Amino acid sequence: MKKRTNLLIIILLVGLFTPFKGQATGFHDMSTNYTFYDEVLYLSSKEIITGFPDGSFKADQTVTRAQAAIMIGRALGLDGKPRNTQFTDVNSNVTGSGYIGSAVERGIITGFPDGSYRPNEPVNRGQMAIFLNRAYTLTMGQTHSFRDISSNMQAYQAILNVSATGIASGYPNGTYRPDQPVTRGQFSAFLARTLEPSFRSKPVMMVKFLNVGQGDAIYIQYPNGKTALVDAGRSDDAIERALRSENITGIDTFIATHPDADHIGGADYVIKNYGVKKVIDSGQMHTTQTFLDYLDTINANGIELVVPQIGDNVTDDANVSAKVLSVNSHSEDLNDGSIVMMLSYGLTDILLTGDAGIHVENNLMKNYDVDAEILKVSHHGSNTGTSGDFIEAVNPEDAILSYGENSYGHPNNQVVNDLIAYDVNIYSTYEQGTITVHTIGNSYSINADPLPWDVQIGQSRVPQPAPSPQPPVQTEFANCTDLRAVYPDGVNSSHPAYQSKFDRDQDGWACEQ
Amino acid sequence: MREGKYIIDSIENGWVKLLFAENEEKEEVIKKDLFHHPIHQGDVLFIKIEDNQISSTPLLFETENRRNQAASLMKKLIKKNR
C-alpha cells in the first residue's frame, strides 16, 4: 500500500533528522512530552545549550539577551572567552561576555544608543527574528505578512524571513506579536529550526470537498494562502450555503471541470461574489442558460479565461503542482472532456477526476503514474467511471464520494464494492457533509472517520437507485370535462390534477360525476 | 412533469436529465427510451404530454442558435486572453 510506503518514508525522515527521541536531555525539569523536547535535545547534543548548574533547563523562563548571544555564539562556533566589551554593562565578569563581544564583531547583535547591552533584558519575538537573520542566511520562500507588523518596523524584513522559512509562524488570528517575550524553550526551537530544516513547520494546504448535494465543488487553499474552487455545485443556493458554512469569503481561481449543470450551476454566482480573478475551463460548450450565464459573467467582469492543455500546471502556488492529466474541448461526451487534475503537495497526491469515464481512465493509466493518496471518485460514484483497474492503479488510501439525493443511484453499488475490495477508506459528502483534508506534504489528515464498510456493504448508507419514473400523467386541465376525459371519476385532493376551482362543493374531490 | 421547453443537460446509462428552460434549477430525469428521435446533450426540446405519453419535438433552430452563441462567447473570451 502506498500509504504504508509514505509512512515508511516519514518514519525514515523523522529517524534521520530527529534521532534523539527516547534519549534524555539531561534536564531534570523537562519531560519527553515537552513541545520542543526534540529541539532542546538537538541543541543539547551539540552543546549549544547546557542548562543551569542545578541540572535544570527552565524552558518557560524568558530568554535573556545574554543567553541568546551565548546560544547563537555556540551554534556559530564563535570565541566565547570572557572579555571586556564595548558595552558599559558587559565586562569580562558578565556571563556570556565573550559571545556578546564576538557576536557584536560579526554584526549579529548591537547594543542600545546609551552604550549599554542590557544583558539581562528579555528577548522578544521581533528581536529573535533580527538575531537569527543576522546570524544566518535564510533562504526566502513565499512571504506571508502579519497584520501587526509594518514595513517601518526594524524587525519587519526579519520577521517575513523567519516566517517564510518556517522558523516561526504567526498566530491563528493573523498576528505575529513581535513584542512578546520569547522563552528559553521557544528560542531553542527557533534556533534548532534555523540550524536543522527538518524541525521547521511546513505550511498547510487545505482541500475541502464541499457538501453541495448532488454535484461537485472542491475548495483548495494553497499553502501560500491563494484559493481555488473546482466546480460550483448545482445552484447558487447550494454553493453559497456550502461556502458560507465553511467561512469561505474569497476565491482566486475558479476551475470548471466541464459544463454540466451539477458542476457549474453556481459558477456565475461565485464569479460575481467571491472576487474570482481567473477561470480555468475545459473549453467544452453547452446550450443551457446556466452555461451562457457563466460565460456572460466572465465576460462582464473582465475575468481571464484559460483553456488548459494536457500537462499544464494550473496551480496558484509554486510549492504545489496542479497538473492537468486530461481535458478535451472536443469530446463527444462532456463528462469525458472533464479537466482531470493531480493536485500534489510533497508526498501527498489528490486526484480530482471531474466526471471522467472509463475510457478516459484507461488513457490516464496508459500515460501517467496515477498513484494518489486521495481519489475524488468520478461522477458522484457512477459506474461510468472508477473501474476496478483504475482503483488498482490509483491505489488510493482514501476516496471521497460527492453526491446528494439523486435519481441515478449514485454512488453505484459496484463502484462502492470495488473501493471496499481494494481496502480504500470511503468518505461521503452526503453522509458526512463537507470533508476537509489538511496536508503539510509528507502527511495528511481528514476531518472525518471513514464510513464503516460493513454498513456500506449492507447498502443501508448508500441510496438505492430511484425507481423508474412512471409515464408522465397529465395534470393540467382547462375544465372538468377535459379532466373527466382522463379521470372519469374525478380526482381527490392528493392528486396532482386536483384544483380547488374544480371542487365546487369543497369535499376534497374534484370533478366527480 | 410540465409541458414546455427543456434542454438536455446530460445523458447517462439510459437516463436523460432535462433542465426546464424557464427555470433551469428545475430538472426532470426520464428514460431515454421515451424519446422517439435521436437526442444529444445540449438539444433544446419542446415536451408535450399527450395521452399520458411524452411527445418531444427537437427545436433545431434554437439549439443551433444557442450553440453558436456559446461558441462565439467562448471564442471571444479565449481570444481576449491570448
Side-chain angles (χ1 to χ4, degrees):
Chain A
M1 289 293 291
K2 170 194 4 299
K3 185 65 175 295
R4 290 192 192 117
T5 309
N6 273 358
L7 286 173
L8 182 63
I9 291 167
I10 293 163
I11 289 163
L12 285 173
L13 286 171
V14 170
L16 279 174
F17 293 122
T18 57
F20 314 102
K21 200 80 178 176
Q23 298 176 22
T25 56
F27 302 122
H28 64 71
D29 59 346
M30 181 171 291
S31 82
T32 54
N33 295 327
Y34 177 60
T35 310
F36 304 124
Y37 179 88
D38 287 337
E39 288 90 336
V40 169
L41 186 57
Y42 171 80
L43 295 182
S44 173
S45 74
K46 292 186 170 300
E47 297 182 346
I48 292 168
I49 54 177
T50 53
F52 292 92
D54 65 357
S56 67
F57 181 68
K58 299 182 173 59
D60 295 329
Q61 204 172 75
T62 303
V63 71
T64 66
R65 288 168 54 82
Q67 290 166 348
I70 293 169
M71 289 167 72
I72 291 172
R74 286 179 181 153
L76 288 172
L78 302 182
D79 178 8
K81 192 176 169 190
R83 73 181 94 153
N84 291 326
T85 70
Q86 65 188 72
F87 300 116
T88 54
D89 53 354
V90 180
N91 60 31
S92 60
N93 294 323
V94 171
T95 303
S97 63
Y99 290 116
I100 292 170
S102 296
V104 168
E105 287 164 14
R106 292 278 290 264
I108 297 167
I109 57 177
T110 54
F112 291 89
D114 64 0
S116 68
Y117 179 72
R118 304 178 194 171
N120 296 318
E121 280 199 1
V123 174
N124 64 34
R125 285 168 57 87
Q127 291 165 337
M128 174 279 295
I130 292 172
F131 292 168
L132 294 180
N133 265 270
R134 288 176 181 159
Y136 298 91
T137 305
L138 301 178
T139 307
M140 283 287 289
Q142 183 71 38
T143 58
H144 174 80
S145 196
F146 301 95
R147 57 188 175 84
D148 59 347
I149 67 169
S150 60
S151 57
N152 60 2
M153 292 169 63
Q154 189 194 2
Y156 179 72
Q157 191 57 49
I159 291 170
L160 292 184
N161 288 353
V162 293
S163 162
T165 47
I167 291 168
S169 53
Y171 290 85
N173 65 356
T175 61
Y176 178 79
R177 301 183 193 170
D179 298 326
Q180 183 168 290
V182 178
T183 67
R184 288 168 52 80
Q186 289 166 341
F187 194 83
S188 299
F190 297 136
L191 183 57
R193 290 173 194 163
T194 306
L195 298 172
E196 175 48 69
S198 68
F199 286 122
R200 295 178 189 179
S201 58
K202 290 191 72 179
V204 173
M205 178 168 77
M206 182 168 65
V207 180
K208 286 180 177 288
F209 298 86
L210 299 169
N211 178 18
V212 288
Q214 178 69 5
D216 269 13
I218 302 154
Y219 172 79
I220 302 166
Q221 185 178 304
Y222 291 105
N224 68 359
K226 296 273 188 183
T227 57
L229 184 70
V230 181
D231 292 332
R234 175 67 178 87
S235 67
D236 297 356
D237 281 350
I239 191 65
E240 194 275 335
R241 206 168 35 243
L243 292 171
R244 184 160 35 83
S245 71
E246 298 297 321
N247 297 316
I248 295 165
T249 55
I251 290 160
D252 294 307
T253 300
F254 175 69
I255 301 172
T257 61
H258 66 294
D260 281 356
D262 55 341
H263 291 254
I264 60 155
D268 61 336
Y269 180 83
V270 167
I271 292 164
K272 263 186 272 190
N273 295 289
Y274 285 81
V276 171
K277 299 172 192 73
K278 184 164 74 173
V279 172
I280 293 167
D281 186 275
S282 68
Q284 299 186 99
M285 303 295 163
H286 213 315
T287 59
T288 59
Q289 196 57 46
T290 302
F291 182 65
L292 294 172
D293 288 348
Y294 155 70
L295 291 185
D296 277 336
T297 305
I298 297 169
N299 189 39
N301 288 276
I303 290 164
E304 180 186 6
L305 180 138
V306 176
V307 177
Q309 304 293 309
I310 291 173
D312 283 357
N313 186 355
V314 296
T315 185
D316 285 326
D317 185 334
N319 292 312
V320 176
S321 164
K323 187 176 178 181
V324 175
L325 304 187
S326 181
V327 61
N328 183 358
S329 60
H330 301 295
S331 174
E332 279 186 19
D333 181 297
L334 296 179
N335 289 341
D336 281 349
S338 288
I339 293 175
V340 177
M341 203 165 84
M342 184 72 88
L343 189 65
S344 302
Y345 181 39
L347 297 171
T348 303
D349 298 314
I350 303 174
L351 183 56
L352 305 177
T353 50
D355 279 1
I358 288 172
H359 169 68
V360 174
E361 291 174 354
N362 291 340
N363 281 336
L364 291 174
M365 288 188 282
K366 244 186 266 171
N367 298 321
Y368 295 101
D369 172 7
V370 289
D371 182 289
E373 279 66 38
I374 300 172
L375 171 68
K376 196 292 290 181
V377 178
S378 173
H379 200 181
H380 326 292
S382 168
N383 62 356
T384 55
T386 320
S387 67
D389 287 346
F390 190 63
I391 297 170
E392 188 174 5
V394 176
N395 190 17
E397 185 73 16
D398 300 290
I400 315 288
L401 287 160
S402 180
Y403 65 95
E405 296 287 347
N406 67 86
S407 309
Y408 301 100
H410 295 160
N412 179 272
N413 294 349
Q414 185 61 50
V415 170
V416 172
N417 287 336
D418 283 349
L419 289 166
I420 292 168
Y422 283 98
D423 282 349
V424 181
N425 296 320
I426 300 175
Y427 302 82
S428 151
T429 57
Y430 177 73
E431 296 286 345
Q432 299 166 291
T434 291
I435 308 288
T436 303
V437 176
H438 288 97
T439 173
I440 55 168
N442 56 4
S443 63
Y444 66 90
S445 64
I446 297 178
N447 73 332
D449 292 327
L451 291 176
W453 288 355
D454 56 338
V455 174
Q456 288 171 32
I457 290 166
Q459 296 304 311
S460 59
R461 279 179 173 265
V462 178
Q464 298 301 300
S468 301
Q470 297 301 308
V473 294
Q474 189 174 352
T475 56
E476 291 176 23
F477 298 90
N479 51 50
C480 277
T481 307
D482 289 353
L483 189 146
R484 279 196 292 267
V486 177
Y487 305 105
D489 298 330
V491 292
N492 69 23
S493 59
S494 63
H495 195 283
Y498 174 89
Q499 292 185 58
S500 61
K501 68 180 179 183
F502 295 159
D503 183 9
R504 290 190 181 155
D505 54 4
Q506 297 295 301
D507 65 348
W509 199 273
C511 301
E512 67 269 40
Q513 296 282 10
Chain B
M1 184 170 189
R2 303 169 68 174
E3 285 194 348
K5 200 188 292 179
Y6 288 83
I7 299 129
I8 297 179
D9 180 58
S10 59
I11 305 170
E12 177 195 337
N13 283 343
W15 293 93
V16 181
K17 186 197 281 183
L18 297 166
L19 306 189
F20 189 51
E22 282 179 31
N23 175 4
E24 290 191 353
E25 290 196 9
K26 293 188 175 166
E27 65 183 45
E28 302 285 346
V29 178
I30 61 176
K31 277 193 164 178
K32 193 179 174 186
D33 300 348
L34 295 174
F35 292 92
H36 301 298
H37 57 83
I39 54 168
H40 310 91
Q41 275 179 290
D43 284 354
V44 185
L45 312 169
F46 193 85
I47 304 276
K48 274 187 182 174
I49 296 155
E50 292 173 336
D51 300 329
N52 290 337
Q53 296 296 318
I54 280 180
S55 158
S56 163
T57 308
L59 302 177
L60 303 177
F61 185 69
E62 179 158 358
T63 301
E64 195 56 27
N65 266 352
R66 282 172 176 254
R67 284 196 204 285
N68 290 340
Q69 191 184 346
S72 159
L73 202 43
M74 178 68 86
K75 194 173 168 188
K76 178 181 170 185
L77 289 167
I78 293 171
K79 196 173 169 189
K80 194 159 76 174
N81 293 305
R82 268 201 185 127

